[in-house]
Amino acid sequence: MNEKLLEKIKRLKTERRAVILAHNYQPAEIQDLADFTGDSLDLSVRAAQTDADVIVFCGVKFMAETAVILSPQKTVLLPDKDAGCPLADTITAEQLRELKQKHLDASVVCYVNSPAEVKAESDYCCTSANAVKLVDSLPTDRPVIFVPDRHLGRFAAEKTGRELILWPGYCHVHVAITEDDIKNAKAKYPDAIVMAHPECTEPVKRLCDQILSTGQMLKFVAKENPKKYIIATEVGIIHALKKQNPQAEFFPASNRAVCPNMKKITLDKVANSLENMQHEVAVPDDIRIKAKKSLDRMIEVLPR
Ligand code: 13P
Ligand code: SF4
Protein backbone atom coordinates (compact mmCIF):
# COMPACT_ATOMS: atom_id res chain seq x y z
CA MET A 1 0.00 0.00 0.00
CA ASN A 2 2.68 2.49 1.09
CA GLU A 3 4.89 1.25 -1.76
CA LYS A 4 2.36 2.48 -4.34
CA LEU A 5 1.94 5.79 -2.60
CA LEU A 6 5.70 6.26 -2.30
CA GLU A 7 6.09 5.54 -6.03
CA LYS A 8 3.38 8.09 -6.80
CA ILE A 9 5.05 10.75 -4.65
CA LYS A 10 8.40 10.05 -6.30
CA ARG A 11 6.90 10.41 -9.78
CA LEU A 12 5.01 13.60 -8.93
CA LYS A 13 8.07 15.05 -7.25
CA THR A 14 10.08 14.66 -10.47
CA GLU A 15 7.25 16.03 -12.63
CA ARG A 16 6.84 19.09 -10.42
CA ARG A 17 10.58 19.61 -9.87
CA ALA A 18 9.81 19.53 -6.16
CA VAL A 19 11.84 19.03 -3.02
CA ILE A 20 10.39 17.66 0.22
CA LEU A 21 11.62 19.26 3.45
CA ALA A 22 10.62 17.73 6.79
CA HIS A 23 11.04 18.90 10.37
CA ASN A 24 12.59 16.54 12.94
CA TYR A 25 9.17 16.16 14.68
CA GLN A 26 7.44 14.75 11.60
CA PRO A 27 6.04 11.19 11.61
CA ALA A 28 8.74 8.59 10.83
CA GLU A 29 7.47 7.78 7.32
CA ILE A 30 7.54 11.48 6.39
CA GLN A 31 11.10 11.90 7.69
CA ASP A 32 12.12 8.82 5.67
CA LEU A 33 10.52 10.19 2.52
CA ALA A 34 11.99 13.69 2.76
CA ASP A 35 14.93 14.95 0.70
CA PHE A 36 16.10 16.87 3.73
CA THR A 37 15.24 16.82 7.44
CA GLY A 38 16.34 19.24 10.11
CA ASP A 39 15.53 21.80 12.76
CA SER A 40 13.97 25.17 11.98
CA LEU A 41 17.31 26.81 11.22
CA ASP A 42 18.56 23.96 8.98
CA LEU A 43 15.27 23.97 7.08
CA SER A 44 15.32 27.75 6.57
CA VAL A 45 18.86 27.58 5.19
CA ARG A 46 17.89 24.71 2.90
CA ALA A 47 14.71 26.47 1.71
CA ALA A 48 16.79 29.53 0.82
CA GLN A 49 19.31 27.43 -1.14
CA THR A 50 17.29 24.86 -3.09
CA ASP A 51 16.91 25.28 -6.85
CA ALA A 52 13.67 23.26 -7.00
CA ASP A 53 10.51 24.95 -8.34
CA VAL A 54 8.30 23.63 -5.56
CA ILE A 55 8.94 23.07 -1.85
CA VAL A 56 6.62 20.64 -0.08
CA PHE A 57 7.03 21.68 3.53
CA CYS A 58 6.29 18.88 5.98
CA GLY A 59 6.05 20.88 9.16
CA VAL A 60 3.82 23.66 10.45
CA LYS A 61 2.62 26.92 8.90
CA PHE A 62 5.26 29.33 10.23
CA MET A 63 7.96 27.07 8.72
CA ALA A 64 6.31 27.13 5.29
CA GLU A 65 5.87 30.92 5.57
CA THR A 66 9.57 31.24 6.37
CA ALA A 67 10.36 29.29 3.18
CA VAL A 68 8.12 31.65 1.16
CA ILE A 69 9.82 34.71 2.64
CA LEU A 70 13.30 33.36 1.91
CA SER A 71 12.43 31.91 -1.53
CA PRO A 72 9.58 34.02 -2.95
CA GLN A 73 10.02 32.74 -6.51
CA LYS A 74 9.19 29.16 -5.41
CA THR A 75 5.81 27.59 -4.78
CA VAL A 76 5.65 26.44 -1.16
CA LEU A 77 3.05 23.81 -0.28
CA LEU A 78 1.86 22.80 3.19
CA PRO A 79 0.22 19.34 2.84
CA ASP A 80 -2.28 20.10 5.64
CA LYS A 81 -3.53 23.68 5.64
CA ASP A 82 -4.47 23.43 9.32
CA ALA A 83 -1.02 22.41 10.56
CA GLY A 84 -0.35 25.48 12.70
CA CYS A 85 1.74 26.20 15.77
CA PRO A 86 -0.24 27.34 18.83
CA LEU A 87 2.92 28.96 20.26
CA ALA A 88 3.33 31.09 17.12
CA ASP A 89 -0.30 32.15 17.43
CA THR A 90 0.12 33.51 20.98
CA ILE A 91 1.13 36.87 19.49
CA THR A 92 -0.26 39.09 16.73
CA ALA A 93 1.42 41.97 14.92
CA GLU A 94 -0.98 44.37 16.66
CA GLN A 95 0.05 43.08 20.09
CA LEU A 96 3.72 43.42 19.22
CA ARG A 97 3.17 46.99 17.97
CA GLU A 98 1.54 47.83 21.34
CA LEU A 99 4.50 46.34 23.22
CA LYS A 100 6.95 48.30 21.06
CA GLN A 101 5.07 51.51 21.91
CA LYS A 102 5.85 50.87 25.60
CA HIS A 103 9.58 50.35 24.90
CA LEU A 104 10.35 52.72 22.06
CA ASP A 105 14.13 52.28 22.18
CA ALA A 106 14.08 48.43 22.31
CA SER A 107 15.51 46.01 19.75
CA VAL A 108 12.93 43.35 18.88
CA VAL A 109 13.83 39.68 18.55
CA CYS A 110 11.20 37.19 17.49
CA TYR A 111 11.51 33.44 17.68
CA VAL A 112 10.94 31.88 14.24
CA ASN A 113 7.83 30.21 15.74
CA SER A 114 5.80 33.35 15.00
CA PRO A 115 3.46 34.61 12.24
CA ALA A 116 5.02 36.37 9.21
CA GLU A 117 3.36 39.65 10.30
CA VAL A 118 5.20 39.47 13.64
CA LYS A 119 8.51 38.83 11.87
CA ALA A 120 7.81 41.93 9.78
CA GLU A 121 7.52 43.97 13.00
CA SER A 122 10.80 42.58 14.39
CA ASP A 123 14.43 43.61 13.95
CA TYR A 124 15.85 40.11 14.28
CA CYS A 125 14.52 36.60 14.06
CA CYS A 126 16.13 33.58 15.77
CA THR A 127 15.59 29.87 16.25
CA SER A 128 16.21 27.75 19.32
CA ALA A 129 19.63 26.93 17.78
CA ASN A 130 20.93 30.50 17.61
CA ALA A 131 18.82 32.52 20.11
CA VAL A 132 21.66 32.82 22.64
CA LYS A 133 24.23 33.85 20.07
CA LEU A 134 21.85 36.33 18.47
CA VAL A 135 20.85 38.01 21.78
CA ASP A 136 24.53 38.13 22.75
CA SER A 137 25.34 40.02 19.56
CA LEU A 138 22.87 42.87 20.26
CA PRO A 139 23.96 46.34 21.41
CA THR A 140 23.93 46.49 25.23
CA ASP A 141 22.75 50.13 25.40
CA ARG A 142 19.22 49.24 24.21
CA PRO A 143 16.63 47.01 25.91
CA VAL A 144 15.58 43.84 24.08
CA ILE A 145 12.02 42.61 23.53
CA PHE A 146 11.89 38.82 22.97
CA VAL A 147 8.69 37.20 21.64
CA PRO A 148 6.75 34.91 21.81
CA ASP A 149 8.28 31.97 23.75
CA ARG A 150 8.99 32.96 27.34
CA HIS A 151 10.97 29.80 28.10
CA LEU A 152 13.40 30.22 25.21
CA GLY A 153 13.57 33.91 26.15
CA ARG A 154 14.49 33.09 29.76
CA PHE A 155 17.12 30.63 28.55
CA ALA A 156 18.69 33.30 26.30
CA ALA A 157 18.52 35.85 29.15
CA GLU A 158 20.24 33.47 31.57
CA LYS A 159 22.97 32.47 29.11
CA THR A 160 23.78 36.04 28.03
CA GLY A 161 23.22 37.81 31.37
CA ARG A 162 20.84 40.22 29.55
CA GLU A 163 17.49 41.30 30.94
CA LEU A 164 14.89 40.65 28.24
CA ILE A 165 11.33 41.97 27.96
CA LEU A 166 9.42 38.71 27.48
CA TRP A 167 6.07 37.82 25.95
CA PRO A 168 4.16 35.19 27.96
CA GLY A 169 3.84 32.64 25.11
CA TYR A 170 4.71 28.97 25.53
CA CYS A 171 4.51 25.65 23.70
CA HIS A 172 1.86 23.37 25.19
CA VAL A 173 3.80 20.27 24.11
CA HIS A 174 7.01 21.24 25.89
CA VAL A 175 5.47 22.65 29.07
CA ALA A 176 3.61 19.34 29.47
CA ILE A 177 6.97 17.68 30.26
CA THR A 178 7.23 17.85 34.07
CA GLU A 179 10.02 17.72 36.64
CA ASP A 180 8.62 14.36 37.78
CA ASP A 181 8.94 13.03 34.22
CA ILE A 182 12.65 13.88 34.27
CA LYS A 183 13.21 12.58 37.81
CA ASN A 184 11.46 9.29 37.00
CA ALA A 185 13.40 8.84 33.76
CA LYS A 186 16.69 9.57 35.55
CA ALA A 187 15.85 7.04 38.27
CA LYS A 188 15.16 4.43 35.56
CA TYR A 189 18.22 5.25 33.42
CA PRO A 190 20.76 6.76 35.84
CA ASP A 191 23.65 6.63 33.36
CA ALA A 192 21.75 8.42 30.57
CA ILE A 193 22.51 11.96 29.38
CA VAL A 194 19.40 14.16 29.62
CA MET A 195 18.80 16.51 26.68
CA ALA A 196 16.01 19.11 26.71
CA HIS A 197 14.67 21.64 24.23
CA PRO A 198 14.83 25.27 25.46
CA GLU A 199 11.02 25.51 25.15
CA CYS A 200 10.81 23.29 28.28
CA THR A 201 10.11 25.01 31.61
CA GLU A 202 12.99 26.31 33.74
CA PRO A 203 12.63 23.65 36.53
CA VAL A 204 12.77 20.92 33.85
CA LYS A 205 15.80 22.47 32.14
CA ARG A 206 17.62 22.71 35.49
CA LEU A 207 17.40 18.91 35.78
CA CYS A 208 18.91 18.34 32.33
CA ASP A 209 22.52 18.01 31.13
CA GLN A 210 22.17 19.67 27.73
CA ILE A 211 19.71 22.30 26.43
CA LEU A 212 19.68 22.04 22.63
CA SER A 213 17.60 22.59 19.51
CA THR A 214 16.56 19.37 17.76
CA GLY A 215 19.34 19.76 15.17
CA GLN A 216 21.88 20.37 17.93
CA MET A 217 20.72 17.17 19.69
CA LEU A 218 21.55 15.20 16.54
CA LYS A 219 24.98 16.83 16.29
CA PHE A 220 25.69 16.31 19.98
CA VAL A 221 24.90 12.58 19.95
CA ALA A 222 26.98 12.06 16.77
CA LYS A 223 30.06 13.27 18.67
CA GLU A 224 29.51 11.48 22.00
CA ASN A 225 30.36 8.03 23.31
CA PRO A 226 27.56 7.53 25.85
CA LYS A 227 24.93 5.14 24.65
CA LYS A 228 21.84 6.24 26.60
CA TYR A 229 19.88 9.45 26.31
CA ILE A 230 16.70 10.79 27.88
CA ILE A 231 15.01 13.15 25.45
CA ALA A 232 12.86 16.04 26.73
CA THR A 233 11.24 17.29 23.55
CA GLU A 234 8.68 16.17 20.96
CA VAL A 235 9.02 12.41 20.48
CA GLY A 236 9.44 12.60 16.67
CA ILE A 237 13.12 13.46 17.09
CA ILE A 238 13.75 9.97 18.48
CA HIS A 239 13.25 8.46 15.01
CA ALA A 240 15.95 10.75 13.59
CA LEU A 241 18.28 10.06 16.54
CA LYS A 242 17.88 6.26 16.25
CA LYS A 243 18.37 6.32 12.51
CA GLN A 244 21.60 8.25 12.84
CA ASN A 245 22.86 6.33 15.91
CA PRO A 246 21.51 2.75 15.71
CA GLN A 247 23.76 1.54 18.52
CA ALA A 248 22.58 4.13 21.07
CA GLU A 249 19.36 4.04 23.15
CA PHE A 250 16.90 6.93 23.42
CA PHE A 251 14.14 7.25 26.01
CA PRO A 252 11.43 9.92 25.78
CA ALA A 253 11.12 11.93 29.01
CA SER A 254 7.37 11.84 28.39
CA ASN A 255 5.27 9.94 25.88
CA ARG A 256 2.78 12.82 26.09
CA ALA A 257 5.21 15.11 24.26
CA VAL A 258 3.49 14.73 20.89
CA CYS A 259 2.78 17.79 18.75
CA PRO A 260 -0.66 17.15 17.17
CA ASN A 261 0.02 19.72 14.45
CA MET A 262 3.28 18.14 13.33
CA LYS A 263 1.48 14.80 13.14
CA LYS A 264 -1.19 16.14 10.77
CA ILE A 265 1.10 15.48 7.78
CA THR A 266 0.59 12.05 6.20
CA LEU A 267 1.83 10.30 3.04
CA ASP A 268 -1.64 10.69 1.48
CA LYS A 269 -1.58 14.42 2.11
CA VAL A 270 1.92 14.76 0.63
CA ALA A 271 0.77 12.92 -2.53
CA ASN A 272 -2.36 15.09 -2.74
CA SER A 273 -0.29 18.19 -2.20
CA LEU A 274 1.96 17.40 -5.19
CA GLU A 275 -0.89 16.20 -7.39
CA ASN A 276 -3.17 19.22 -6.84
CA MET A 277 -0.54 21.80 -5.86
CA GLN A 278 -2.19 22.25 -2.47
CA HIS A 279 -2.05 24.08 -0.11
CA GLU A 280 -0.01 26.97 -1.38
CA VAL A 281 1.27 29.24 1.37
CA ALA A 282 1.33 32.94 0.53
CA VAL A 283 2.76 35.97 2.30
CA PRO A 284 1.76 39.44 1.04
CA ASP A 285 4.67 41.34 -0.53
CA ASP A 286 4.79 44.20 1.99
CA ILE A 287 4.99 41.72 4.91
CA ARG A 288 7.42 39.46 3.07
CA ILE A 289 9.93 42.21 2.32
CA LYS A 290 9.96 43.47 5.92
CA ALA A 291 10.07 39.96 7.42
CA LYS A 292 12.99 38.97 5.18
CA LYS A 293 15.29 41.47 6.88
CA SER A 294 14.84 39.81 10.28
CA LEU A 295 15.20 36.33 8.72
CA ASP A 296 18.37 37.21 6.78
CA ARG A 297 19.98 38.14 10.07
CA MET A 298 18.84 34.81 11.58
CA ILE A 299 20.47 32.64 8.94
CA GLU A 300 23.71 34.62 9.22
CA VAL A 301 24.02 33.77 12.93
CA LEU A 302 25.01 30.15 13.06
CA PRO A 303 24.97 28.41 16.44
CA ARG A 304 28.10 27.90 18.50
P1 13P B 1 13.75 23.27 16.50
O1 13P B 1 14.12 24.49 15.75
O2 13P B 1 14.66 22.96 17.64
O3 13P B 1 13.63 22.12 15.58
O4 13P B 1 12.33 23.50 17.18
C1 13P B 1 11.18 23.80 16.48
C2 13P B 1 9.99 23.68 17.30
O5 13P B 1 8.88 23.84 16.84
C3 13P B 1 10.15 23.37 18.69
O6 13P B 1 8.94 23.05 19.25
FE1 SF4 C 1 4.69 24.67 17.88
FE2 SF4 C 1 5.23 23.32 20.11
FE3 SF4 C 1 4.45 22.00 17.94
FE4 SF4 C 1 6.89 23.13 18.05
S1 SF4 C 1 6.13 21.43 19.29
S2 SF4 C 1 5.43 23.22 16.35
S3 SF4 C 1 6.44 24.97 19.24
S4 SF4 C 1 3.24 23.47 19.12
Side-chain angles (χ1 to χ4, degrees), residues 25 60 62 84-87 113 171-174 199 234 259 262:
Y25 295 158
V60 292
F62 77 80
C85 168
L87 162 63
N113 297 44
C171 162
H172 69 103
V173 179
H174 284 86
E199 287 176 16
E234 212 276 351
C259 175
M262 284 283 180

Side-chain angles (χ1 to χ4, degrees), residues 23-25 38-41 62-63 111 113 127-128 171 174 197 199 213-215 262:
H23 186 264
N24 290 325
Y25 295 158
D39 67 10
S40 304
L41 185 59
F62 77 80
M63 297 179 175
Y111 186 27
N113 297 44
T127 72
S128 58
C171 162
H174 284 86
H197 195 276
E199 287 176 16
S213 77
T214 60
M262 284 283 180

Side-chain angles (χ1 to χ4, degrees), residues 172-173 175-178 181 233-235 252-260:
H172 69 103
V173 179
V175 303
I177 302 172
T178 64
D181 288 330
T233 188
E234 212 276 351
V235 296
S254 162
N255 282 314
R256 296 182 312 280
V258 178
C259 175

Side-chain angles (χ1 to χ4, degrees), residues 23-244:
H23 186 264
N24 290 325
Y25 295 158
Q26 283 291 292
E29 63 275 21
I30 301 292
Q31 292 190 34
D32 293 345
L33 164 84
D35 297 297
F36 184 78
T37 54
D39 67 10
S40 304
L41 185 59
D42 303 327
L43 293 169
S44 303
V45 172
R46 191 49 72 113
Q49 286 171 348
T50 177
D51 59 4
D53 294 338
V54 176
I55 298 174
V56 179
F57 214 113
C58 299
V60 292
K61 189 175 167 209
F62 77 80
M63 297 179 175
E65 279 183 347
T66 302
V68 174
I69 297 165
L70 292 170
S71 284
Q73 69 290 4
K74 298 187 173 66
T75 302
V76 179
L77 305 173
L78 185 62
D80 185 312
K81 67 175 173 32
D82 298 321
C85 168
L87 162 63
D89 294 336
T90 57
I91 188 160
T92 63
E94 185 50 41
Q95 287 170 315
L96 179 53
R97 277 193 289 271
E98 277 169 26
L99 186 62
K100 281 164 67 174
Q101 279 304 314
K102 290 186 197 148
H103 306 276
L104 287 172
D105 56 340
S107 307
V108 181
V109 181
C110 73
Y111 186 27
V112 70
N113 297 44
S114 55
E117 293 79 4
V118 167
K119 292 184 175 80
E121 286 291 333
S122 303
D123 301 310
Y124 308 91
C125 190
C126 70
T127 72
S128 58
N130 63 3
V132 172
K133 199 173 173 192
L134 192 130
V135 169
D136 214 19
S137 74
L138 299 179
T140 47
D141 56 348
R142 288 175 67 183
V144 177
I145 293 174
F146 189 99
V147 299
D149 187 60
R150 66 169 181 242
H151 298 295
L152 176 64
R154 280 204 194 117
F155 176 65
E158 214 170 276
K159 286 280 167 193
T160 58
R162 299 283 306 255
E163 236 180 77
L164 304 181
I165 301 155
L166 298 176
W167 185 256
Y170 63 88
C171 162
H172 69 103
V173 179
H174 284 86
V175 303
I177 302 172
T178 64
E179 287 172 82
D180 277 350
D181 288 330
I182 307 292
K183 285 180 190 157
N184 293 340
K186 279 173 118 172
K188 215 164 161 191
Y189 311 108
D191 51 346
I193 291 186
V194 191
M195 299 198 289
H197 195 276
E199 287 176 16
C200 290
T201 64
E202 286 58 51
V204 161
K205 285 191 291 232
R206 276 196 283 278
L207 292 170
C208 297
D209 302 308
Q210 297 289 330
I211 320 290
L212 301 167
S213 77
T214 60
Q216 288 170 329
M217 287 182 188
L218 283 153
K219 287 184 195 120
F220 179 85
V221 174
K223 288 196 307 233
E224 293 294 307
N225 279 329
K227 295 279 175 274
K228 287 187 186 165
Y229 299 86
I230 295 163
I231 308 296
T233 188
E234 212 276 351
V235 296
I237 184 67
I238 292 184
H239 177 72
L241 285 164
K242 274 188 184 153
K243 209 165 145 179
Q244 187 193 275

